[in-house]
Amino acid sequence: MNDAIHMIGVYTKTIMKSWFQYKVDAVLRSLAVFLRESTGIIVVYFTLLKFDTLNGWNINEMLFLFSLLFVTYGILILFFTGLRDFSGTVRSGNFDRFILRPRGLLFQIIFVNADWFAAIGHGGLGILLFVLSAGKVGVVWTPANIIYYLFAIAGGVLIQGAIFLFLATLNIYLLETGSLKEVFYWNARKFAGYPISIFHKVIQAGMIYVVPFAFVNYFPAQFLLRKEDMAAYPEIYLYLTPVVGVGMYLLAYLFWRVSLKHYKSSGN
Amino acid sequence: MVSFENVSKFILSDVSIHIPKGSAVGIIGASGAGKTTFMKLACGLLEPDGGNVYTMGKNPVINRSQLGRKMSCFFTGIPVLNEFRSVRDNFKDLQIVYQISDTEFEPIYSDLATRFGFDAYEYTPVKSLSLGQRRRAELGAVLLQRPELLLLDEPANGLDENAKTIFRDILQERVKEGMTLLITSHDMKDISQMCDRIMVLNQGKMLFYGNKNTLMRKYAPMDIMIIQYEGAIPDLEDLPLSRFSFDRDMLSIVYNSNYITSAEILDLLIKKISIREVNVKKPGLEEVILEMERMKGDI
């Protein structure tokens, strides 16, 4: 265990060293991610200025909803960059290298890389949106709410981590999974920027039961904001984010473990 | 150390072999003969479609990670080092991965770094190195953990002659210390100098596996002896020679050393003529393999 912690420490130190070797480059690249993501928010912001509310959600509440997406991704990417980029790891032969080492595979994949630029860009934007909106949405930040918020963030990170792990595992069976990632992660995430109640029932069901982004930001935001459109969903959903996160991650991990037995290297 | 029982996979067909601990086996064959498949089966990267593979007595596919403590592999196409990190940082990573203590690590690292010469660029990121520089560091890296079993698939590509010699020396030392070596190479000099056993693969079939000297004796084509002489030529018709020819004061004799040795030929000639110079050309492993491929229908 101590050895594993030591390894994590060494890996983190070296990853940071390599990512921030060129400081100006690091600042510019983090800024680029921040600006790229901000552009999307700015478009939504000016669109929403034309309306008072969207299904009862005002602009600040929308920004609060967005902030959960960005904060969770900022944390997620520190731990799951290796899974996000897993198809490249298989193609480059690095996965075979990891397989032949006397260490846990997932441990090696997770801790050998972390996209710090994405973490700073997304996380920074998430924090900014939170700061801009949290005081204006009428949430009383009691200790219970703060604890709920922290658990919701952890659950949201695990839900997205599980999606990454599931999609990464598919690389063992399929040659190319980029399009699947595009549909099941990035496109689903775009929907998650809005209250799911504005979408068709099928999309709502998809966002709750298939790619459960609703538990990453919609239900946690509802717990704190209590908007009227929550009436369409069981109240228990407000509390399920950490449970969904842990459950999904365990399922994805099981899928990973079973699938590893089917992994085949190429002949040469 | 490594056993195959009627193993089939991709082009490999019904291969059975036992490689004892401490031996150095050279695997020879044309491109596509199944050499890399054989190596990947041995380390557990591939699972056989038929038959069984045992490495250190275990199924290598199920026990990959456990075997990884005692086994080291090099395959062209599977990166050994993280190219964004310096050579030394990569070795420090491996020190943690293989749980090598500091007191053990430093002498091995400095020995490998000095001999391979990567101490000169140990703080350079791997991605900035030339192929030859990178290969020296990679081969050092696979030797760092002092494996009991070392699998090398075409390790010499990109190495200059000096580095090849250093690499051969280190491998020979390790084999003397008890390491088992499996190596594929197109460079017959590598195989010939390092390996006591040879396995010859041809289109997935094993043409030969055994002692190098047996291979040479069994399949070696003719030796050639060139003699510069003075005097009258004796009668050579009764000798079991393949052929002989004269060119002024030069006599060329082609013979199979299984039937008559160079000493026996010289013993006869020296009584009859005055010999000024003798040159015997023995066939190399490369010629033996070519001969085998020519004969493969008869084997």
Side-chain angles (χ1 to χ4, degrees):
Chain A
M1 186 65 188
N2 280 341
D3 189 46
I5 293 167
H6 179 213
M7 240 176 116
I8 294 168
V10 172
Y11 275 139
T12 309
K13 202 172 115 190
T14 52
I15 290 164
M16 290 194 70
K17 212 167 109 186
S18 62
W19 281 91
F20 294 100
Q21 194 177 9
Y22 303 104
K23 290 183 182 60
V24 177
D25 185 57
V27 169
L28 290 177
R29 284 179 68 175
S30 302
L31 191 64
V33 176
F34 179 88
L35 291 176
R36 183 190 68 203
E37 297 302 324
S38 302
T39 320
I41 303 294
I42 290 165
V43 171
V44 173
Y45 182 80
F46 282 109
T47 310
L48 283 175
L49 282 181
K50 298 280 177 194
F51 309 92
D52 277 347
T53 60
L54 191 65
N55 226 14
W57 291 65
N58 67 33
I59 185 71
N60 287 318
E61 288 160 345
M62 290 283 297
L63 293 183
F64 187 72
L65 193 63
F66 265 116
S67 75
L68 278 160
L69 266 190
F70 285 103
V71 168
T72 51
Y73 187 83
I75 299 168
L76 168 84
I77 209 60
L78 279 182
F79 294 100
F80 293 93
T81 301
L83 291 175
R84 185 194 65 185
D85 303 339
F86 186 68
S87 55
T89 306
V90 174
R91 273 199 302 274
S92 64
N94 273 307
F95 188 54
D96 285 351
R97 169 167 67 119
F98 293 150
I99 279 184
L100 295 170
R101 287 179 168 183
R103 287 284 174 179
L105 265 176
L106 212 48
F107 179 87
Q108 295 185 69
I109 292 163
I110 286 176
F111 289 105
V112 291
N113 205 358
D115 186 349
W116 280 88
F117 304 142
I120 294 169
H122 283 258
L125 180 59
I127 290 167
L128 180 69
L129 293 174
F130 179 81
V131 169
L132 288 175
S133 61
K136 297 174 186 166
V137 291
V139 176
V140 182
W141 291 99
T142 60
N145 279 349
I146 292 170
I147 289 168
Y148 174 88
Y149 184 81
L150 294 177
F151 269 94
I153 295 281
V157 169
L158 278 178
I159 289 169
Q160 293 171 83
I163 298 170
F164 275 7
L165 180 53
F166 184 81
L167 291 169
T169 308
L170 288 180
N171 282 287
I172 291 172
Y173 303 98
L174 307 169
L175 279 176
E176 178 53 56
T177 57
S179 314
L180 286 174
K181 199 192 306 173
E182 200 59 41
V183 173
F184 287 102
Y185 186 79
W186 296 110
N187 287 351
R189 187 171 178 264
K190 279 178 194 156
F191 282 108
Y194 302 90
I196 60 165
S197 57
I198 68 168
F199 297 116
H200 188 274
K201 287 278 180 204
V202 173
I203 295 175
Q204 287 186 37
M207 298 292 287
I208 296 172
Y209 304 113
V210 182
V211 191
F213 262 106
F215 289 97
V216 175
N217 64 343
Y218 180 74
F219 291 125
Q222 279 288 17
F223 177 86
L224 298 165
L225 303 177
R226 304 287 172 159
K227 307 298 297 176
E228 283 175 9
D229 57 335
M230 185 60 206
Y233 312 103
E235 200 181 329
I236 183 90
Y237 285 5
L238 298 176
Y239 306 94
L240 287 186
T241 295
V243 179
V244 172
V246 172
M248 270 187 71
Y249 194 79
L250 287 177
L251 274 178
Y253 182 69
L254 195 67
F255 180 47
W256 164 260
R257 293 291 306 208
V258 170
S259 302
L260 271 185
K261 291 183 181 148
H262 301 282
Y263 174 74
K264 294 181 187 76
S265 178
S266 58
N268 59 38
Chain B
M1 182 57 97
V2 177
S3 294
F4 278 49
E5 292 174 357
N6 308 106
V7 172
S8 298
K9 180 78 184 179
F10 302 146
I11 194 166
L12 280 190
S13 164
D14 202 27
V15 172
S16 294
I17 188 172
H18 174 71
I19 295 169
K21 194 170 187 288
S23 52
V25 180
I27 302 170
I28 297 171
S31 299
K35 303 187 295 292
T36 303
T37 300
F38 180 88
M39 298 289 254
K40 285 192 172 179
L41 284 162
C43 71
L45 275 178
L46 287 175
E47 197 170 8
D49 291 335
N52 298 305
V53 176
Y54 299 100
T55 301
M56 298 184 209
K58 294 189 169 86
N59 177 337
V61 175
I62 296 169
N63 300 285
R64 276 189 294 234
S65 180
Q66 199 186 341
L67 289 175
R69 291 190 186 281
K70 299 173 184 171
M71 174 179 76
S72 204
C73 308
F74 174 88
F75 287 97
T76 307
I78 299 181
V80 176
L81 306 171
N82 180 339
E83 61 175 15
F84 296 103
R85 319 230 311 110
S86 73
V87 173
R88 189 174 167 88
D89 282 348
N90 265 290
F91 275 76
K92 292 298 279 182
D93 287 353
L94 292 172
Q95 182 192 357
I96 302 166
V97 167
Y98 293 107
Q99 296 176 297
I100 303 167
S101 68
D102 282 341
T103 46
E104 212 182 337
F105 173 81
E106 286 304 336
I108 302 177
Y109 174 77
S110 76
D111 177 52
L112 290 169
T114 318
R115 291 175 77 176
F116 275 114
F118 56 79
D119 53 346
Y121 48 86
E122 61 181 342
Y123 295 107
T124 309
V126 172
K127 65 177 177 180
S128 309
L129 302 178
S130 70
L131 174 65
Q133 287 175 320
R134 181 187 293 224
R135 188 51 50 91
R136 284 167 181 249
E138 285 173 334
L139 295 176
V142 295
L143 290 162
L144 179 73
Q145 60 147 328
R146 293 198 160 275
E148 289 177 30
L149 171 64
L150 180 61
L151 306 173
L152 300 169
D153 186 34
E154 296 294 348
N157 291 355
L159 286 184
D160 56 43
E161 279 308 315
N162 184 32
K164 277 185 189 174
T165 309
I166 294 162
F167 185 47
R168 276 197 294 264
D169 289 348
I170 297 175
L171 287 182
Q172 280 169 330
E173 286 166 24
R174 292 286 179 94
V175 170
K176 267 186 202 155
E177 289 165 15
M179 183 184 79
T180 309
L181 171 69
L182 266 72
I183 181 169
T184 73
S185 177
H186 282 112
D187 188 335
M188 294 301 159
K189 198 173 158 195
D190 277 344
I191 301 273
S192 189
Q193 291 189 358
M194 280 188 283
C195 302
D196 50 8
R197 285 173 185 242
I198 306 287
M199 172 185 176
V200 183
L201 283 171
N202 185 278
Q203 295 181 339
K205 299 264 185 208
M206 199 165 71
L207 286 189
F208 177 86
Y209 170 61
N211 188 284
K212 185 174 67 188
N213 297 331
T214 310
L215 175 73
M216 300 297 278
R217 267 202 309 274
K218 200 167 171 189
Y219 298 106
M222 307 297 159
D223 290 6
I224 300 170
M225 184 189 285
I226 297 167
I227 302 164
Q228 199 177 2
Y229 68 96
E230 276 175 5
I233 292 298
D235 184 9
L236 299 172
E237 292 295 336
D238 290 340
L239 294 180
L241 306 177
S242 177
R243 59 182 182 274
F244 58 90
S245 59
F246 304 98
D247 181 11
R248 278 178 253 164
D249 58 347
M250 301 289 275
L251 168 63
S252 295
I253 303 173
V254 180
Y255 59 98
N256 187 325
S257 57
N258 286 330
Y259 305 137
I260 185 165
T261 65
S262 49
E264 285 168 335
I265 298 171
L266 282 173
D267 193 40
L268 180 90
L269 289 175
I270 214 155
K271 291 173 190 158
K272 313 269 183 183
I273 54 175
S274 165
I275 293 173
R276 295 206 323 241
E277 198 174 325
V278 178
N279 202 330
V280 179
K281 191 176 170 240
K282 304 289 281 181
L285 199 51
E286 206 150 352
E287 283 101 348
V288 173
I289 300 306
L290 286 172
E291 180 73 6
M292 278 187 83
E293 283 175 2
R294 272 197 295 273
M295 292 168 61
K296 71 175 182 269
D298 310 326
I299 294 168

